[in-house]
Amino acid sequence: MKIDWHFPPARAGFFGVIDKLIGPGATKAEKNLQLFVPFLAGFTVLAHAYLDAFGWGWGQYLVAGLITVDIVGGIITNATSSAKRWFHREGQGFKQHMGFISIHFIQLTILSWAFLDFDIIWIASVGGYMMLASAVILLTPLYLQRPIALLMYALAIVLITYQFKPLPDMTWFLPLFYLKLLLSHVLREEPYRPDHE
């Protein structure tokens, strides 16, 4: 295996947008993981909700399906070598990463509206920890970021268990939400590439 921080230019048009979401030069295996696993997860969540008669309305099904695909897809995508070298390229620093992370307040707001009768305290506490933990990791010297990120994630699990209100029938969401952001996205890791590339 080789480490290669160089990436091809993003393509033009629609495929260029995809490149900027998953990292230019993504391998076929990376693309397959990012495509099939999230949709399988989304289908599984919706089927489980239907078969176990959660009593969701159509809006809850829609939100749960889309959020599942995004969270599972985000965990996979942000952990790929192609995404690592793209999102941690030169010029992508604290401000850019925190900007990306702050967008996730939209997800929290939609979920709170759909499942918690728009609980603003939940949005603020869950989102506040998201921002605080991400900032702590990003401001930590690189050689210590991995253990600090794991520590911040461990604390997230404690808060999820004892402090944050769980989403009804979606208790899996917060552990995966923090996994996507604190471990999969924020950590700068070496982009290992296939030898035949």
Side-chain angles (χ1 to χ4, degrees):
M1 283 286 161
K2 60 184 178 180
I3 297 172
D4 186 2
W5 283 98
H6 301 93
F7 50 84
R11 294 168 290 181
F14 172 76
F15 291 107
V17 173
I18 299 298
D19 284 347
K20 291 174 182 176
L21 290 174
I22 67 174
T27 66
K28 183 177 181 181
E30 288 174 330
K31 290 176 184 177
N32 286 339
L33 277 172
Q34 295 169 77
L35 178 62
F36 295 114
V37 176
F39 283 100
L40 178 61
F43 173 78
T44 301
V45 165
L46 296 183
H48 178 63
Y50 178 77
L51 293 174
D52 281 11
F54 285 174
W56 287 355
W58 69 266
Q60 291 172 307
Y61 276 101
L62 178 64
V63 168
L66 292 175
I67 293 289
T68 302
V69 170
D70 179 77
I71 291 297
V72 174
I75 291 169
I76 295 168
T77 297
N78 285 280
T80 65
S81 289
S82 296
K84 286 297 180 187
R85 68 183 182 180
W86 174 248
F87 290 116
H88 293 272
R89 67 192 186 276
E90 187 176 347
Q92 295 294 300
F94 181 84
K95 180 179 177 182
Q96 290 77 18
H97 288 295
M98 293 302 290
F100 171 80
I101 290 159
S102 67
I103 290 170
H104 290 77
F105 271 106
I106 296 170
Q107 282 186 341
L108 297 177
T109 301
I110 292 170
L111 280 166
S112 180
W113 165 78
F115 293 97
L116 296 172
D117 296 322
F118 197 58
D119 186 338
I120 295 175
I121 300 299
W122 184 85
I123 298 169
S125 57
V126 169
Y129 185 74
M130 167 188 76
M131 297 297 285
L132 174 65
S134 298
V136 167
I137 296 165
L138 288 167
L139 293 172
T140 297
L142 183 59
Y143 82 102
L144 287 174
Q145 281 187 4
R146 184 177 288 117
I148 293 299
L150 287 165
L151 181 62
M152 292 295 99
Y153 184 71
L155 181 54
I157 296 300
V158 173
L159 291 171
I160 291 164
T161 304
Y162 296 106
Q163 188 64 39
F164 298 152
K165 183 188 299 183
L167 284 171
D169 304 315
M170 290 181 61
T171 54
W172 55 265
F173 170 76
L174 283 180
L176 296 190
F177 176 76
Y178 287 123
L179 177 62
K180 172 188 173 181
L181 297 175
L182 303 184
L183 298 181
S184 193
H185 176 75
V186 169
L187 284 180
R188 183 182 189 271
E189 297 176 308
E190 295 80 6
Y192 293 101
R193 307 302 299 172
D195 291 327
H196 62 272
E197 186 177 57

